[in-house]
DNA sequence: CGACATGTTGAAGGGGATCAATGGTGGTGG
DNA sequence: CCACCACCATTGATCCCCTTCAACATGTCG
């Protein structure tokens, strides 16, 4: 394995230790995972519906999305994935693919075989638990999306989504959140929020002054107002909530 | 522990072995879990937002729901739980409660301490994996709900929801699915589908002839049409897809 | 029997969809 | 270097699904 892969795995490790505590050995084991880098063009599926996979995909560059679809071809994005996210870690325990993964921009992924992941999980229960926990954060996000799409209007939903992404990207959520790169089209935002592209355009315009989404980057001018409009509470993302009393291994009573 | 608790745990075990394979010892360990039965009145929270819990809740009688909420008090149900479902198994790895659980009808739950669950998970890796897998099925359901609420119209969304519930309850999904008890109000269906109560009423009327929802029970008159209207594909529920080649333990390569 | 939750129906309004057309912008090749 | 094309953003006009409000019916439980 060359250095690039190791740097990439560092991203993944970084993500995990936001919410779980590891000893040196465990961290080392994760950094030693064998990987297989793959470049994916924009708008190209890299995990297809119905397939049975034997590896999980770590996003290391670009943005990926999970897609649902109705019969008439209308699409719904159910998750965004950014560098450091393992987009389908759950496939380790559920290899049958239930929804496709697609690159939203030019993306680089690191394939990591299930057997290797099972290996570390078996040797280090703390890692197994971290994997499980990480999957559950994704589920918590999904749960918020249901609320977003089901009960918030376009403005609030879009604001909430942008807040979520900014927070997940680890940006300062103080009054002056910095700009960040987020290269998605309005059509993709529409698929994520359950709106039409036309209405996404109008909604973004309605948020002018609070946030600007243009040319692949997002500028949050007033975090507090954006969070207020989107009713955003970051708790569910479980950022930096490593349990005070170490809960780190699944061990006997 | 008395017999009732054991019968109840049997429900849970039954749920798990739909998707995971256990040896006798492992099954026994689950049946030996210490439990604490609690009765909950309808419309009463039994897990509250923000709380940190030290036990998970197995639903053994009645129906429970997971609730999201917007600031103006509008509610969104993000999951239904039926007897045999462990409503918050994920709390084992994420004890901070992100969304409240409420009984939708008079409900009996079995509290099972995290430490006991950790105990079996640690002693039997196959059980740990089954727990993780079960959580991921819930996540798959959630993902479908996003599509449902985001991209399907009222008729299709309602049909899909009813199909999901019938399937999860393990009913024959042949052309003549039997009736089943499902005691929710139209207001609760509204909170689950992201509709208003008025429109739920009209939507159910629009589905007359295909399905009847009345007085706490659902009669599916034409499963095929209901599934077609709801674009329902049961695959994501992972019913009876125990992997052919046993994948049952997290073990070294 | 009263009180309250639930179900039902009508009428009116709005948020967002759809259709359609135009203007940018970047990539590609001649 | 420019012509061309594909994709994306933008804007207007119209429509409709669903919401909201309001009234009434029905059922249920103390």
């Amino acid at each position: 394995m060359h250095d690039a892969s190791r740097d990439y795995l560092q991203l993944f490790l970084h993500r995990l230790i936001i919410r779980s505590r590891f000893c040196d050995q465990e961290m080392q084991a994760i950094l030693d995972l064998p990987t297989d880098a793959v470049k994916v063009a924009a708008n190209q599926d890299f995990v297809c519906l119905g397939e049975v996979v034997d590896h999980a995909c770590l996003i290391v560059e670009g943005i990926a999305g999970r897609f649902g679809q109705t019969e008439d071809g209308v699409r719904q994005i159910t998750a965004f994935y950014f560098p450091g996210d393992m987009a389908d870690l759950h496939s380790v325990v559920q290899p049958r693919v239930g929804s496709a993964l697609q690159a939203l921009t030019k993306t680089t992924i690191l394939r990591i075989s299930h057997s290797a992941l099972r290996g570390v999980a078996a040797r280090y229960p703390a890692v197994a638990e971290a994997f499980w926990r990480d999957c559950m954060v994704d589920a918590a996000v999904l749960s918020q999306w249901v609320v977003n799409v089901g009960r918030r209007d376009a403005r609030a939903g879009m604001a909430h989504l942008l807040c979520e992404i900014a927070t997940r990207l680890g940006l300062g959520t103080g009054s002056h959140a910095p700009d960040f790169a987020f290269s998605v089209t309005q059509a993709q935002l529409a698929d994520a929020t359950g709106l039409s592209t036309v209405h996404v355009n109008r909604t973004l315009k309605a948020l002018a002054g609070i946030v600007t989404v243009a040319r692949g980057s997002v500028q949050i001018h007033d975090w507090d107002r954006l969070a207020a409009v989107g009713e955003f509470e970051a708790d569910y993302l479980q950022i930096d909530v490593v349990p005070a009393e170490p809960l780190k291994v699944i061990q006997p009573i």
Side-chain angles (χ1 to χ4, degrees), chain A:
Chain A
M1 187 178 338
H2 48 296
D3 287 341
S5 285
R6 181 158 293 255
D7 286 352
Y8 286 152
L9 281 169
Q10 191 80 46
L11 271 180
F12 178 46
L13 177 58
H14 224 79
R15 179 63 39 92
L16 289 177
I17 60 181
I18 288 177
R19 307 183 181 101
S20 305
R21 213 163 273 177
F22 291 142
C23 68
D24 291 348
Q25 253 188 331
E26 290 155 351
M27 295 198 270
Q28 199 52 52
I30 286 175
L31 295 176
D32 287 344
L33 281 167
T35 64
D36 180 13
V38 178
K39 290 199 182 293
V40 185
N43 302 316
Q44 188 188 322
D45 284 19
F46 58 93
V47 172
C48 301
L49 197 63
E51 194 179 356
V52 175
V53 295
D54 63 355
H55 61 270
C57 300
L58 173 65
I59 312 298
V60 294
E61 274 177 32
I63 304 175
R66 179 171 296 279
F67 283 79
Q69 201 161 170
T70 64
E71 273 168 19
D72 47 356
V74 184
R75 307 198 306 178
Q76 171 74 49
I77 296 181
T78 58
F80 285 119
Y81 297 106
F82 304 101
D85 289 334
M86 189 79 94
D88 55 353
L89 185 50
H90 59 89
S91 66
V92 171
V93 294
Q94 207 180 79
R96 275 249 307 262
V97 175
S99 46
L101 292 176
Q102 183 174 106
L104 300 183
T105 67
K106 200 167 83 176
T107 295
T108 306
I109 63 175
L110 241 56
R111 292 184 174 182
I112 308 180
S113 76
H114 286 170
S115 63
L117 289 167
R118 281 170 174 276
V120 272
R123 261 175 296 141
Y124 304 104
V127 173
E129 180 168 338
F131 285 174
W132 180 6
R133 179 175 297 118
D134 226 55
C135 284
M136 292 332 293
V137 173
D138 284 351
V141 171
L142 219 40
S143 170
Q144 277 292 324
W145 278 41
V146 173
V147 178
N148 226 25
V149 173
R151 287 302 191 198
R152 287 197 243 268
D153 63 15
R155 241 173 75 97
M158 182 65 71
H160 193 280
L161 177 64
L162 294 173
C163 285
E164 179 203 302
I165 291 167
T167 306
R168 282 176 56 195
L169 288 175
L171 303 171
T173 55
S175 293
H176 55 299
D179 310 348
F180 59 95
F182 182 47
S183 290
V184 289
T185 64
Q186 293 186 353
Q188 287 161 343
L189 284 177
D191 287 338
T193 50
L195 301 171
S196 66
T197 60
V198 172
H199 205 59
V200 164
N201 188 291
R202 292 185 170 129
T203 301
L204 289 177
K205 224 154 276 292
L207 288 170
I210 303 178
V211 64
T212 306
V213 180
R215 253 162 293 116
S217 88
V218 176
Q219 299 175 39
I220 298 176
H221 307 117
D222 187 339
W223 171 267
D224 292 339
R225 272 182 69 200
L226 188 65
V229 169
E231 303 183 346
F232 180 75
E233 306 271 349
D235 305 358
Y236 73 99
L237 289 172
Q238 306 278 335
I239 306 285
D240 289 328
V241 286
V242 180
E245 40 182 318
L247 175 95
K248 57 188 173 191
V249 283
I250 299 188
Q251 61 187 5
I253 316 177

